[in-house]
Amino acid sequence: MTCLNAKLLFSFLLVFFPTFTVSTLLFQGFKWESWMKEGGFYNSLHNSINDLSNSGITHIWLPPPSQSVSPEGYLPGKLYDLNSSKYGSETELKSLIAALKQKGIKSVADIVINHRTAARKDDHCGYCYFEGGTSDDRLDWDPSFICRGDTNYAGTGNPDTGEDYKPAPDIDHLNPRVQKELSEWMNWLKSEIGFSGWRFDFVRGYAASVTKSYVQNTSPDFAVGEKWDDMKYGGDGKLEYDQEEHRSGLKHWIEEGGGGVLTAFDFTTKGILQSAVGGELWRLKDSQGKPPGLIGIMPGNAVTFVDNHDTIRPNSWAFPSDKVLLGYVYILTHPGTPCIFYNHYMEWGLKDSISKLVAIRNRNGIGSTSSVMIKAAEAELYLAMVDERVIMKIGPKLDLGTLVPPNYALAFSGLDCAVWEKK
C-alpha cells in the first residue's frame, strides 16, 4: 500500500467509523485478605491480566510492596525490602508489573509514608531506630526523624503537620533528609520495579504541601490521595443532605497539593451515593443542580469508587451489597476517574456488567470532565444525561415519561438501572 493510499484509508476510517476514547480507569487489584493467597498474590494476578485489559482497565492499584509488621503492608519498615512482603517477592512483583505493562496497564504503588515501624528500640523512646533494607544508610533513621509530640514515641523532630497515627511512629516530613530519601525510594520504585503512579495512604497525617513535594520530586503518571474525613450526620443518624464542607475539604487538599496529576478519592460521592440508593435518590443533586460530591465541583481530580479494602470490612462503611451494580452504573457513566474494586469484579459476578458499562463509557468518550445534566432526582428515580450522548437511570421507578427521547437506544439494563446511548 502506498503512503497516499494509507492516508486516504485512515481518513476514511475517521469519517465513517466512530472513534473510541479511552479515559483513565483504575482497578484496585487486591482486597484486605489478598496476602493469604495460596501460591502468592502477585503470581495469582497474572491469570486476570487479559480480562482486565479487555475490560478497559488502564491503571491497577497494587498493595504496599515493602516489608511490614502487618501482613497487609500498612505498617511498613524496611522500605527497600520487597522480598519480605506477604504478597510475593520482588522478582514476582517486577514480573507482574511487566506483564501488565505489555497489555497497556500501568501499575500504581500504595505509598504508606505517614508512619514507619522501626527495627530496633531503646529504653528511652521504644522502637524508634529504623532500617531501610539496604547495605548503606538510606532510610536508616533515629528518633530525630519522628515528629515531636508523638503520643507513643519520644521523637525529637519537627511538630507533626497532620493527624497523629497511634500504631506506629509519625515521620517528620519537614526533615529535608526524609523528603530526599523517600523521593529517591519512590523514584527507585519507578525505575527499577516499574511502577508508574502512586496511591498515597492516610494523607490526613501530613500537610498537603508535603504530598506536593513528593509528586514534584517523582513525576508520577497518576497520583491519588486517601483523605477520608467524617461526613455530617443528623441527630437521627441519617446523613445530612448538605455535604459541601466535606467535598470542599477534598478540593482544598488537591489545590494545596498542587493539582495537576494529583487526585483524591471522592469519599463525598461514595457516602452520598450509598445513602441515596436506599430510596433517597434525591440526594444525588446538590442545591445548584449538580452532582453533590467532588465530581460536582472538581471532576478532573476526583476518583470515584463504590468500595475499597477498608470500607468493605465488617462494621466499616460498606455500600449496600444488593445495590452495588447501581453504584457502578453511576460512577461509570459520570465524570471523575472511576475505580473498580477487586471483590466486585473478581468475586461478585459483576465482571461482565462492569465491562459493558466501561465499553459504553469509552464508546461515547465519557471522561473525567464530562458534563452532567440531571433530569430527575427524586426518592425512587435518578436520571441524568452525560455529554448529550448517554442517558442513565438508577432507581425502581419505571414510568420515565418523556425523559428518554426516542433517538436514544437501550445499551444496558439491570435490576433498577439502565443506560441508553444516542443513536
Side-chain angles (χ1 to χ4, degrees), residues 208-209 211-212 216 227 247-260 262-264 294 297-298 301:
S209 58
T211 305
K212 180 179 182 179
Q216 290 177 338
K227 180 175 165 56
R247 69 174 176 179
S248 292
L250 291 172
K251 180 175 182 284
H252 293 154
W253 179 82
I254 293 165
E255 290 171 340
E256 291 169 7
L262 182 63
T263 64
L294 182 61
I297 56 173
M298 203 179 208
N301 299 81

Side-chain angles (χ1 to χ4, degrees), residues 189-201:
L189 289 176
K190 283 179 63 181
S191 62
E192 297 300 319
I193 309 303
F195 282 106
S196 298
W198 319 127
R199 178 264 183 185
F200 289 101
D201 179 68

